[in-house]
Amino acid sequence: MATARLDYVAPWWTYWLHNFPHFNFSLLSVDSTFKPEDGSYQQSLILLACLGAVGLALSLLFLGGFLVCLCCCRRNLDEDAKRPNTCCITWVAIITGLITCSAVGVGFYGNSETNDGVYQLTYSLYNANHTLESIDNMVATSRGNVETGVKQHLERLDEIFATKPEYLQALRFMQLMMGNIIRELAALPDINKTKVDLAAVADQTTFAEYYRWLTYLLLLILDLIICLAMCLGMAKHSQYLLITIMGFVLLSLVLSWASLGTGTATAVGVSDFCVSPDKFIVNQTKDFLSADVAHYYLFCSRNLPNPFQQSLTICQRSLTTMQIQIQGLLQFSVPVFPSAQRDLTGIQRLLNSTEFSVHQLTALLDCRGLHKDYLDALIGVCYDGVEGLLYLSLFSLLAACALSAMLCVIFRLWTLMGSREKEYDDIDEEDPFNPEPRRFSYNPRRSNTHSFCSYISSFGSQASLHPPPQSSSSSTVPPPEYMNQSMLFGSTPRYENVPLIRGGSPPPSYSPSMRTTYLSMTDAQIRHFGTDFQV
């Protein structure tokens, strides 16, 4: 089998992160070897996490400077200037939304990759824990069978064969073999502590990973909601909605920078472990595992001998020897001592069970099973896990920059909405030169209102007035100027081409039928009504 060094090679991004400068709180350089229990190393990771706080401070300074510039530019705006062009703001908002959506996509991928890597780690830890638990149970069962079961049967056989020295000599030889088995099984390492440690690490990792995954998922959903709400706020021109969006953007901005610092520190720490994992594991297991056992499972090389091979071989040979002795006693002693058959059969059954357990122990203690779990855990953490953390850090950086730009867009939209409302408030409702459609709505009933002249028109039509002949007089008075300009300030056409009556105020609106009535009046009607309606 190939060595572990050929199967596992740390990816290039772990070396890149491992070479990040490590400094403690005194700004002194710290060794980048993974030592989580060392205080200086912990300080170096905390300083890396503080990069998020530095980014947040820079973002707030930038936003503060933008607000100051915006207020200064707003004071210097000319009151007679035209309405500002919002095309640039629209494009900035669109680009910001696209960047945010892209960052969310990167975040979803990174969150999934990190979760897959941690799941592979915990699965390997649980699998290795199950293997170690099986080894521990088999060792305990084998020792119990030999120490308790076989020993009791041998004591009873010693009483039965008290008169046969040759049979007693066979029993003493079996007791010697039993002592060898017990001694070699006891020489196997106590892996109960290792089993408990692996189970605890797997449980804590699963618990932390669940809340990490859920936190990033909520942050990604929050960014998507902010993008949708931003589009809605721009479409509705709602200041209250923009205020709400502004609060959520500030919250997401703080969370994005915090996640960037935390993700960077975690990625650097895990990369320090991935560059040299064997050294760290050997140091952590030196209290209950010897160096040769640890190297056997970490490297699993053909050049490394199995540290348990000698003990397992002695156990198998001792069990085989005891089986041969039991077969001989069953063949020669049972015809003489029938009561010994039960104990001899019981010993044979226990030896068969113990031999089966020893064969299983030989397979489980082989390095290939546990080494595979070790490689799977390393690949899950150092490949998928660290890669996912890098994508999450990229998401946090892009989201923080996009959210800062989004705040600038919101501030600018706020000023534009305020200036537009001020522009509407400055309109004088009493100004006759304001466009009528903005001040009044068209009422169709107004055009149908009957005036005094309409009653005159009705009276003329009832008298069956006939139109007079066309007058050849050339002294026709031109219509006043205000009648020709009546179309400029009204929302409906007005027919006021009839001259003023006695130079007084203009009459109400005339319709074409009314004008025809006026023109068709006879001389008798003029004498009856006077010259008030003479054209």
Side-chain angles (χ1 to χ4, degrees), residues 167-395:
Y167 294 157
L168 292 176
Q169 185 178 2
L171 295 179
R172 300 292 180 271
F173 184 74
M174 284 194 295
Q175 288 178 350
L176 180 62
M177 295 295 102
M178 184 183 67
N180 292 336
I181 294 173
I182 294 174
R183 184 179 64 253
E184 295 302 329
L185 289 176
L188 295 176
D190 185 10
I191 56 179
N192 187 40
K193 185 176 181 181
T194 307
K195 178 192 67 175
V196 173
D197 289 342
L198 285 180
V201 169
D203 291 338
Q204 294 174 2
T205 304
T206 303
F207 179 80
E209 169 59 19
Y210 172 75
Y211 285 100
R212 184 211 63 80
W213 174 83
L214 182 61
T215 302
Y216 270 102
L217 182 63
L218 293 177
L219 181 59
L220 293 168
I221 294 175
L222 177 61
D223 289 344
L224 285 179
I225 293 175
I226 287 174
C227 285
L228 296 176
M230 182 67 183
C231 297
L232 182 62
M234 292 182 65
K236 295 293 184 180
H237 298 284
S238 175
Q239 291 184 348
Y240 298 104
L241 185 57
L242 288 180
I243 292 174
T244 305
I245 295 172
M246 192 183 304
F248 282 106
V249 169
L250 286 174
L251 174 62
S252 182
L253 181 65
V254 174
L255 293 177
S256 296
W257 283 117
S259 65
L260 177 62
T262 305
T264 302
T266 305
V268 171
V270 175
S271 297
D272 293 337
F273 166 78
C274 292
V275 168
S276 181
D278 304 329
K279 182 179 180 181
F280 173 75
I281 294 176
V282 170
N283 292 332
Q284 292 295 316
T285 58
K286 63 182 179 181
D287 295 335
F288 52 89
L289 283 181
S290 60
D292 56 343
V293 174
H295 282 87
Y296 172 70
Y297 287 107
L298 293 177
F299 295 96
C300 195
S301 173
R302 291 181 178 178
N303 299 325
L304 294 176
N306 187 345
F308 310 113
Q309 186 63 45
Q310 184 177 359
S311 298
L312 293 173
T313 301
I314 293 175
C315 288
Q316 289 177 355
R317 290 177 180 177
S318 299
L319 289 171
T320 302
T321 303
M322 292 181 69
Q323 290 278 16
I324 294 174
Q325 293 295 325
I326 292 297
Q327 288 289 343
L329 290 174
L330 284 172
Q331 183 178 0
F332 296 104
S333 66
V334 169
V336 182
F337 302 98
S339 60
Q341 183 177 4
R342 179 180 178 184
D343 291 315
L344 291 174
T345 306
I347 292 175
Q348 189 179 36
R349 185 172 58 254
L350 290 175
L351 291 178
N352 290 334
S353 176
T354 304
E355 187 175 9
F356 178 75
S357 298
V358 170
H359 283 295
Q360 284 187 318
L361 274 175
T362 304
L364 290 175
L365 289 173
D366 188 78
C367 66
R368 288 173 291 183
L370 290 175
H371 180 68
K372 181 181 182 300
D373 295 330
Y374 172 66
L375 289 182
D376 291 341
L378 285 181
I379 292 174
V381 172
C382 301
Y383 280 82
D384 294 338
V386 178
E387 183 183 5
L389 288 175
L390 288 177
Y391 279 108
L392 288 176
S393 299
L394 179 60
F395 151 72

Side-chain angles (χ1 to χ4, degrees), residues 360-526:
Q360 284 187 318
L361 274 175
T362 304
L364 290 175
L365 289 173
D366 188 78
C367 66
R368 288 173 291 183
L370 290 175
H371 180 68
K372 181 181 182 300
D373 295 330
Y374 172 66
L375 289 182
D376 291 341
L378 285 181
I379 292 174
V381 172
C382 301
Y383 280 82
D384 294 338
V386 178
E387 183 183 5
L389 288 175
L390 288 177
Y391 279 108
L392 288 176
S393 299
L394 179 60
F395 151 72
S396 300
L397 182 61
L398 291 176
C401 296
L403 291 171
S404 300
M406 189 177 295
L407 280 176
C408 296
V409 172
I410 293 175
F411 293 152
R412 183 57 177 162
L413 284 175
W414 183 271
T415 57
L416 290 180
M417 288 182 181
S419 62
R420 187 181 65 177
E421 289 184 357
K422 182 179 179 182
E423 184 180 313
Y424 284 163
D425 293 339
D426 290 340
I427 296 177
D428 187 6
E429 297 290 341
E430 302 298 332
D431 187 2
F433 293 98
N434 284 335
E436 192 176 31
R438 289 183 67 175
R439 296 186 295 127
F440 302 103
S441 60
Y442 172 68
N443 189 359
R445 296 182 179 179
R446 183 179 299 174
S447 60
N448 297 328
T449 303
H450 295 283
S451 62
F452 173 75
C453 298
S454 62
Y455 287 106
I456 299 298
S457 174
S458 300
F459 180 80
S461 60
Q462 290 174 3
S464 300
L465 301 178
H466 300 282
Q470 295 292 334
S471 175
S472 60
S473 175
S474 61
S475 60
T476 304
V477 182
E481 185 179 357
Y482 81 92
M483 297 180 184
N484 296 329
Q485 295 178 354
S486 62
M487 292 291 292
L488 297 178
F489 302 102
S491 58
T492 58
R494 305 179 58 145
Y495 305 97
E496 297 186 40
N497 293 326
V498 181
L500 293 177
I501 303 174
R502 294 185 178 179
S505 59
S509 300
Y510 291 92
S511 64
S513 61
M514 294 165 58
R515 188 172 183 272
T516 304
T517 303
Y518 298 148
L519 295 176
S520 63
M521 294 178 68
T522 61
D523 294 336
Q525 292 169 344
I526 292 175

